[in-house]
Amino acid sequence: MSRKALGSRLSSAHKLQRNWNDWQPRGDSVSASSQDGVNCIAPRDLGPAAGYDPPAALAASDQPCSPPHLHNDAFPASADTLDEGGGYGTTGGFCDDTFGWKSLGQELRINDATADLTPFQQHGNRALASKDMRKSQDRSMAHSEESRLSNLLRRVSREDDRDRRLATVRQLREFITHSDSKVALVKQLDSILSTLNDILNESSKMLSELRQEAAMCLGMLCTSLSYEAERVFKWMFVKFSSSSREEVKLLYLVAAYRALEMAGERKSFAPVMQLVMSSLQSILENLDTPELLCHSVRCILQVARGYPHVFSTNFRDTVDILVGWHIDHTQKQSLTQQVSGWLQSLEQFWVADLTFSTTLLGQFLEDMEAYAEDLGHVASGEALDEDIPPPTVSLPKLAALLRVFSTVVRCIGQRFSPSRGPPITQAYVTDVLNRVLACVSTAKRVLFSEPVLTAGNECVCVLLVSLEPSAQLTDAVVAYGLDQLDACRACGSEYSLAVLNLTTLIVDQINTKLPAPFIEKLLAPTSQLLELRFNRDKEVMSAALGVYQSILSLKNIPVLEAAYKLVLGEMACGLSSLLTHLGLHAPPETPASSIHHPAFAPVMLTPERAEFTLIFDLSALTTIGNTKNSLIGMWALSPTVFALLSQNLTFVHSDLAVHHPAVQYAVLYTLYSHCTRHDHFISSSLSSSSPSLFDGAVISTVTTATKKHFSTLLCLLGTLLSKEHLYTEARKLLLTWSLEVCLMMKRSDTYAPLFSLASFSKFCKGLLHNGTFNCINIIHEWPISC
């Protein structure tokens, strides 16, 4: 049986040392080809080839050159010399009067002045003398700078004390960064590079900080001498290629990154950027360790940020290498995630080259299907071809392909959407999603592999966000989601998180088109979702709560009502379980009995699970209760959130509150949060019973439905405050709640009629009773400021 060709290259131009479909793990050593780096270029000698022709310079001068015996090397060419002559030397200075200079003594000698000079001529001579003095001072300053630099280099090389040597290197870095005279740096560039190279190649581990400082110096030197950047970069890359020690190679890359970072988008670096990018690309192709990979990619990304037009020509080659590292399943997961982040940071290039991006996705998908086909042969029990790898080989590679596929989709970003037009269309994404679902399902039938399922769920998620739900797609995705959720029974936290995130996304994306049976299966007593709430991993528990919140945010009222009844049925089950364990039984005809659900009738929970379930479900119900002016929460559901908390669950305020105060507090806090969100329903309590002519039918119905909420709230507060045995935290909450209600009632004269309500009298009696029997406790427990 013929297998599909794996890992076809994008073009014949991509001839790298390693093919990302070879699937061979990397060794620890750098390949021999890494030594074939950039050819060494000798330091530039500044002479005729550098733009300085001594005879031409002399011909252009009005003054004759001083005799050889008057030549003074102590005064090298200054910045003024560079401006006038355009050249400088690295070995020896120019003649002192090449540009009309004389020694200071010659200019000021009295015998050189004639007796018949006019005052104007004398003034002119004095001006010329001042100018030459300034030039001489400039030369003295350059000499001073050069002497200081020489002294620093000498001290760095000869100093034995580690701390003093480190301090000297830092001084050298300051000199390189802030020196006004670049001439001194240029004249001693070879010495600087040689000294820094010696430090970088130190073998003592005690000098790691010193070597880091030297690398920073090297990078700043390249930036400071931007017109010598090509020379310094070439030197660095040659040294990188010739070095056999990884830690030294890393330091050269640190220096290169520092230079690129400091230069930013400086135009003076533009001519050398193509050289830098080509050298970095060569390094990337030949390295074999994650550490070198990280440092080289940092440099490449810096080029991409500062010089995108330069990087764009190397984009495909760079991606090809990084993809090879991404799908190498022998690498640590942390490195794979880091490579994924690097690829995603290049989004602008992925979008600009969308043909390449979609072609790469197609290659990944073909390779996935090839491995799934191999696994299918295993599942069917057919005789295996020798060329077909076993599941232990195919599954890790399938997982790697799924992960890199998700990364590339994320790399394309918002452009991966049918709404943005071809080549990303609804049909294209639907086809890709169905093929991914088929690959993962095939793998699951053969052998349960948590990495494959985790990567598959992540891949489905990134595709699902780009799609408009359709009936056929909804059925496939819903079935897949339920199947994945059921597999959580024997999986770890990572897989459970991936499944819960997928489930939440399915609910959010399909939303109003979700079939009711899907919700009923999710919230049924046998659902694995309910079990995941008890997971010790807080992230898993939080993700499970996120599924509940998404379900209770649905705008499809029939589906939402089905979910709401199941949640209330589980709460009734938890309440009944607590009462049973305490030897108590609720009367058969109570408000609590109206929320029972037949699906939970045979279920009995332990006290710990029952308490946790009640608190969890109450937290989930805040999704409905805290939505401002929610018509669904205040009117559409039966019972409403307010009625549920203030009437159906009043049984938690009886003897149950003594043994399980946390449940009572959860009920009260959920009700308090709901009432606070709706201003305690004070305004609606003043509305007339008959709707206004200008009221909409639904709004009028809601207002009428909430008219008695405020009176009910006052009665509940008064009743609970009258109790002598009340959980301390619950009492504090009730007093805070009462204070807010009183302040709101005082806010406007419109609320004056509320003070005459019978429920308000009961509320006041409760406050007085609370003060009479709990005065001492409140003084100790309540803040004095209140």
Side-chain angles (χ1 to χ4, degrees):
M1 174 175 292
S2 62
R3 300 178 61 236
K4 295 182 180 179
L6 304 182
S8 56
R9 312 303 290 164
L10 295 181
S11 68
S12 59
H14 291 193
K15 295 182 179 179
L16 306 177
Q17 183 184 6
R18 298 186 71 256
N19 188 312
W20 54 260
N21 284 300
D22 289 341
W23 301 102
Q24 297 298 326
R26 290 171 170 72
D28 295 332
S29 62
V30 180
S31 62
S33 61
S34 65
Q35 305 301 325
D36 301 330
V38 181
N39 293 329
C40 180
I41 296 180
R44 178 165 62 91
D45 293 327
L46 299 175
Y52 170 65
D53 188 357
L58 293 175
S61 174
D62 295 331
Q63 299 292 337
C65 181
S66 298
H69 66 276
L70 295 179
H71 180 76
N72 189 355
D73 286 335
F75 294 89
S78 67
D80 291 338
T81 308
L82 295 179
D83 291 340
E84 295 176 18
Y88 46 78
T90 57
T91 56
F94 292 123
C95 297
D96 287 341
D97 57 350
T98 300
F99 299 100
W101 292 353
K102 293 183 179 180
S103 68
L104 188 60
Q106 285 179 312
E107 290 291 346
L108 300 182
R109 191 175 299 122
I110 189 65
N111 294 332
D112 290 343
T114 57
D116 57 348
L117 285 176
T118 63
F120 176 80
Q121 289 174 319
Q122 293 176 0
H123 174 75
N125 286 338
R126 284 196 299 271
L128 290 173
S130 298
K131 179 179 180 182
D132 287 336
M133 286 178 65
R134 286 195 299 271
K135 290 184 177 181
S136 180
Q137 290 171 355
D138 290 341
R139 286 178 291 175
S140 298
M141 183 181 297
H143 172 68
S144 175
E145 291 278 318
E146 186 176 350
S147 298
R148 182 186 172 201
L149 177 58
S150 299
N151 185 36
L152 288 172
L153 294 175
R154 191 162 49 250
R155 285 165 55 195
V156 168
S157 301
R158 298 177 181 177
E159 184 62 67
D160 294 329
D161 184 80
R162 184 182 63 179
D163 293 336
R164 285 200 295 267
R165 194 177 182 193
L166 178 61
T168 305
V169 171
R170 287 173 177 166
Q171 292 176 20
L172 177 61
R173 186 180 68 176
E174 288 295 315
F175 181 90
I176 292 172
T177 306
H178 302 294
S179 177
D180 294 330
S181 175
K182 306 301 181 185
V183 177
L185 294 176
V186 173
K187 291 191 67 175
Q188 300 200 45
L189 183 56
D190 290 337
S191 298
I192 298 172
L193 294 176
S194 177
T195 301
L196 293 176
N197 186 59
D198 291 341
I199 299 174
L200 295 179
N201 283 274
E202 291 276 4
S203 58
S204 174
K205 294 182 179 179
M206 303 291 289
L207 301 177
S208 59
E209 188 176 0
L210 176 69
R211 297 166 70 198
Q212 286 287 337
E213 282 290 337
M216 301 296 282
C217 278
L218 182 56
M220 290 182 176
L221 178 67
C222 187
T223 305
S224 297
L225 301 179
S226 56
Y227 43 85
E228 291 287 345
E230 181 177 355
R231 178 180 173 188
V232 178
F233 271 123
K234 284 183 176 179
W235 180 88
M236 280 194 289
F237 292 131
V238 167
K239 292 296 182 182
F240 178 95
S241 299
S242 61
S243 177
S244 59
R245 296 166 56 193
E246 180 179 341
E247 63 271 20
V248 178
K249 289 176 177 284
L250 290 173
L251 291 171
Y252 288 123
L253 290 175
V254 168
Y257 177 77
R258 184 61 173 171
L260 294 169
E261 183 183 41
M262 294 290 290
E265 300 178 12
R266 188 179 300 179
K267 294 182 179 179
S268 57
F269 259 43
V272 76
M273 275 302 107
Q274 189 59 59
L275 164 70
V276 172
M277 186 63 232
S278 299
S279 301
L280 291 171
Q281 183 68 38
S282 177
I283 291 173
L284 183 66
E285 292 173 0
N286 293 286
L287 53 83
D288 276 304
T289 64
E291 291 76 15
L292 285 173
L293 174 71
C294 293
H295 282 75
S296 63
V297 173
R298 285 179 68 209
C299 296
I300 290 174
L301 293 181
Q302 190 63 38
V303 175
R305 282 190 290 269
Y307 302 86
H309 61 287
V310 174
F311 174 75
S312 61
T313 59
N314 293 82
F315 168 65
R316 294 190 178 191
D317 293 333
T318 301
V319 165
D320 208 13
I321 300 298
L322 293 181
V323 163
W325 282 89
H326 196 302
I327 61 179
D328 185 353
H329 57 86
T330 63
Q331 299 295 332
K332 294 181 179 179
Q333 184 179 0
S334 58
L335 178 65
T336 302
Q337 292 174 346
Q338 195 166 22
V339 174
S340 177
W342 293 333
L343 290 170
Q344 291 178 55
S345 69
L346 301 174
E347 179 179 341
Q348 61 172 319
F349 302 98
W350 289 99
V351 174
D353 199 352
L354 206 55
T355 301
F356 167 77
S357 305
T358 53
T359 301
L360 198 59
L361 288 175
Q363 289 186 357
F364 295 150
L365 196 55
E366 290 176 2
D367 288 351
M368 283 185 222
E369 291 176 326
Y371 284 113
E373 184 180 347
D374 293 340
L375 292 168
H377 292 313
V378 175
S380 62
E382 297 178 10
L384 297 181
D385 193 343
E386 292 181 356
D387 295 333
I388 297 178
T392 53
V393 174
S394 300
L395 289 171
K397 295 180 179 179
L398 177 58
L401 286 166
L402 287 164
R403 283 193 292 268
V404 76
F405 190 96
S406 301
T407 292
V408 174
V409 173
R410 290 193 179 101
C411 290
I412 302 174
Q414 295 182 353
R415 181 61 183 84
F416 193 87
S417 173
S419 62
R420 303 291 294 274
I424 312 299
T425 62
Q426 183 78 7
Y428 170 80
V429 181
T430 301
D431 176 65
V432 170
L433 178 57
N434 285 326
R435 291 165 70 181
V436 169
L437 291 175
C439 290
V440 178
S441 299
T442 300
K444 185 173 179 292
R445 287 195 302 270
V446 176
L447 185 65
F448 185 88
S449 171
E450 191 171 326
V452 170
L453 296 180
T454 301
N457 292 335
E458 179 186 1
C459 192
V460 171
C461 285
V462 297
L463 292 171
L464 196 57
V465 295
S466 302
L467 284 172
E468 290 293 330
S470 62
Q472 182 180 2
L473 181 64
T474 296
D475 293 340
V477 171
V478 163
Y480 176 84
L482 290 173
D483 183 56
Q484 295 298 306
L485 185 62
D486 187 61
C488 288
R489 300 179 188 276
C491 292
S493 297
E494 183 181 2
Y495 175 72
S496 297
L497 275 173
V499 172
L500 291 171
N501 291 334
L502 171 64
T503 306
T504 301
L505 188 63
I506 289 173
V507 175
D508 290 341
Q509 288 297 114
I510 302 180
N511 207 293
T512 57
K513 296 183 180 180
L514 274 174
F518 172 68
I519 299 298
E520 292 171 355
K521 290 179 181 178
L522 274 183
L523 301 178
T526 56
S527 172
Q528 191 62 22
L529 173 62
L530 276 60
E531 189 64 28
L532 288 173
R533 298 176 303 177
F534 302 102
N535 196 291
R536 293 182 179 181
D537 191 326
K538 292 184 178 180
E539 286 189 55
V540 175
M541 185 178 67
S542 178
L545 180 61
V547 177
Y548 271 75
Q549 290 171 336
S550 293
I551 292 172
L552 295 174
S553 299
L554 292 172
K555 304 305 180 185
N556 186 328
I557 293 181
V559 176
L560 175 61
E561 192 169 13
Y564 185 65
K565 288 182 177 179
L566 282 165
V567 172
L568 267 55
E570 188 184 36
M571 293 176 65
C573 174
L575 188 59
S576 177
S577 297
L578 290 178
L579 292 172
T580 301
H581 288 294
L582 292 174
L584 303 173
H585 297 281
E589 296 297 333
T590 62
S593 62
S594 63
I595 62 174
H596 281 286
H597 195 284
F600 289 92
V603 178
M604 178 62 66
L605 302 174
T606 64
E608 295 77 13
R609 287 208 163 198
E611 183 175 298
F612 177 86
T613 297
L614 282 163
I615 296 173
F616 183 93
D617 289 342
L618 286 166
S619 299
L621 285 175
T622 58
T623 304
I624 299 176
N626 287 4
T627 303
K628 184 71 172 177
N629 297 324
S630 169
L631 300 180
I632 294 176
M634 293 189 293
W635 173 68
L637 298 176
S638 178
T640 64
V641 175
F642 183 87
L644 170 71
L645 299 171
S646 63
Q647 298 174 29
N648 297 86
L649 297 181
T650 53
F651 208 83
V652 300
H653 306 311
S654 59
D655 295 335
L656 192 63
V658 178
H659 301 280
H660 298 281
V663 175
Q664 183 194 37
Y665 183 83
V667 172
L668 289 175
Y669 189 85
T670 306
L671 180 59
Y672 164 73
S673 180
H674 177 60
C675 292
T676 302
R677 187 65 174 164
H678 296 89
D679 298 327
H680 305 290
F681 301 100
I682 293 178
S683 299
S684 60
S685 65
L686 295 172
S687 62
S688 60
S689 57
S690 58
S692 169
L693 179 63
F694 299 99
D695 287 342
V698 175
I699 301 298
S700 299
T701 304
V702 171
T703 303
T704 303
T706 60
K707 179 176 176 59
K708 297 181 180 180
H709 282 8
F710 184 61
S711 294
T712 303
L713 173 61
L714 291 176
C715 290
L716 180 63
L717 290 173
T719 301
L720 292 176
L721 287 170
S722 299
K723 291 183 177 292
E724 297 182 17
H725 301 289
L726 191 64
Y727 182 45
T728 302
E729 296 300 321
R731 190 180 297 277
K732 289 180 180 180
L733 175 62
L734 291 172
L735 289 172
T736 300
W737 195 348
S738 301
L739 180 61
E740 289 184 13
V741 169
C742 292
L743 292 175
M744 189 166 290
M745 291 174 67
K746 287 177 57 180
R747 187 177 299 173
S748 172
D749 295 338
T750 308
Y751 300 144
L754 299 177
F755 292 100
S756 60
L757 292 175
S759 55
F760 183 74
S761 300
K762 185 173 184 178
F763 168 67
C764 292
K765 289 179 181 178
L767 283 172
L768 291 173
H769 193 277
N770 178 80
T772 302
F773 289 97
N774 299 282
C775 182
I776 297 178
N777 292 333
I778 294 301
I779 289 174
H780 288 292
E781 297 173 1
W782 197 248
I784 296 176
S785 59
C786 295

